[in-house]
Amino acid sequence: MPIITLRHHCYTQLDPESWCATAQINPSISLLLKPSSANHLALSKTPIPCINSRASDLRTFNLRTFDFYTLYWQVYHPDSALSTREIAYNARQQQRNGVRLLLQNLLSKIGIIDTLDQSEFPYRLMNSRYYVCFSHSGDKHLNKVAVVVSTHCAVGIDIEVQEVAWRVAQRFYHANELAILAELASSERDRVCRLLWQLKESFIKIYQYKLAQGLGIDYAALIPALSNIMAQDERSSVIISDSKTNYQIAVLPYQQTVVIF
């Protein structure tokens, strides 16, 4: 596996004993190549065709350059390219390592020295016993990771970079939720659908629900509050109190993240 690096860190203190962080994993051409080929690319002094003057510097290549390198190596070095299954496995490993690196960065930021206990769910820190939860969301152009730590109780977090299609919501959401969502304008409905999905995913991680079970739970009472968030500054975090579960719900639009703590 390539060395993981993160960028665009965002740290948020939710309350005196709860923090979350998000970041983006730097793209790596070695994710798509067999180890020997990746090493050759990193060490080779032979010029590689470039789409701009900076593309030969692997430390500064952007996503467009990354796509170009991918195409170049798959066309001219087919034996060095990984299979689709191997690429998917590497991506999962990259995300797994990415969230743990982000946890280390967050703990360093808040002055905690501790080790993650992964022996059972929910994850906790071994010494301080902080609860820990991870999330990652990747597509062709973005690979984001998120983490939350809190002393109170099991916590949940979900980061999403893609919209949740209305047809998907109609398949999984509770009838009470769908009745309210159907009354919203399509653009507002789409935004609330995604926030509601993230809220459900976060509770799934807390209670260890099965996916369909967790997505089908009725959170209709929270939809008005989620809808109101969309009218506010996207850089402002909003916290909602859920009297039904006694949890706090933090919505961080700029970070595309929802946290239950």
Side-chain angles (χ1 to χ4, degrees):
M1 281 295 297
I3 296 174
I4 301 298
T5 58
L6 303 175
R7 59 181 177 174
H8 304 319
H9 290 75
C10 290
Y11 300 100
T12 305
Q13 183 168 6
L14 303 170
D15 68 18
E17 297 182 319
S18 303
W19 296 264
C20 72
T22 62
Q24 184 174 337
I25 297 176
N26 274 320
S28 173
I29 187 64
S30 58
L31 179 70
L32 299 152
L33 302 175
K34 295 178 180 178
S36 59
S37 301
N39 292 337
H40 172 74
L41 176 62
L43 298 174
S44 175
K45 295 182 179 179
T46 303
I48 297 174
C50 299
I51 57 176
N52 62 53
S53 61
R54 299 179 66 193
S56 60
D57 185 351
L58 295 181
R59 295 169 298 178
T60 60
F61 70 83
N62 56 29
L63 286 171
R64 181 175 297 179
T65 308
F66 175 66
D67 291 340
F68 175 79
Y69 274 123
T70 302
L71 176 63
Y72 175 83
W73 277 88
Q74 288 179 342
V75 171
Y76 293 101
H77 303 272
D79 293 337
S80 69
L82 296 177
S83 67
T84 301
R85 178 176 295 183
E86 289 172 320
I87 291 173
Y89 173 78
N90 274 4
R92 289 193 298 272
Q93 289 297 105
Q94 187 180 54
Q95 290 168 342
R96 183 180 187 278
N97 294 340
V99 293
R100 284 156 177 78
L101 175 58
L102 182 59
L103 173 62
Q104 293 175 14
N105 294 347
L106 175 59
L107 294 182
S108 176
K109 182 79 172 179
I110 61 180
I112 294 177
I113 299 175
D114 213 329
T115 303
L116 180 65
D117 180 1
Q118 305 176 75
S119 61
E120 60 182 358
F121 290 108
Y123 288 162
R124 301 189 75 172
L125 299 180
M126 288 186 176
N127 299 321
S128 61
R129 304 307 291 164
Y130 273 73
Y131 290 91
V132 179
C133 186
F134 297 126
S135 179
H136 55 76
S137 184
D139 65 9
K140 182 178 180 182
H141 299 294
L142 291 174
N143 198 353
K144 291 192 170 184
V145 288
V147 61
V148 58
V149 298
S150 179
T151 59
H152 307 310
C153 51
V155 288
I157 189 169
D158 189 63
I159 186 168
E160 294 287 346
V161 299
Q162 298 178 340
E163 298 298 328
V164 174
W166 175 233
R167 67 179 184 278
V168 175
Q170 289 176 302
R171 178 181 176 187
F172 290 105
Y173 287 6
H174 193 278
N176 292 342
E177 298 169 333
L178 296 174
I180 298 175
L181 291 169
E183 297 296 321
L184 301 178
S186 59
S187 59
E188 182 181 5
R189 182 194 67 201
D190 291 344
R191 292 192 296 268
V192 175
C193 271
R194 184 172 76 169
L195 290 179
L196 196 55
W197 184 282
Q198 292 180 263
L199 183 150
K200 290 169 179 280
E201 285 268 18
S202 298
F203 274 121
I204 286 171
K205 294 172 183 177
I206 290 172
Y207 294 117
Q208 294 297 296
Y209 293 136
K210 292 182 179 179
L211 182 62
Q213 175 193 10
L215 293 177
I217 292 176
D218 183 9
Y219 297 105
L222 296 172
I223 291 179
L226 295 177
S227 182
N228 288 337
I229 289 172
M230 307 317 300
Q232 302 186 33
D233 181 357
E234 71 168 12
R235 290 181 176 268
S236 300
S237 58
V238 179
I239 296 181
I240 304 168
S241 295
D242 181 14
S243 58
K244 185 176 180 179
T245 63
N246 292 322
Y247 269 100
Q248 300 270 81
I249 302 164
V251 180
L252 312 172
Y254 178 67
Q255 300 178 54
Q256 300 170 295
T257 301
V258 169
V259 185
I260 310 295
F261 67 103

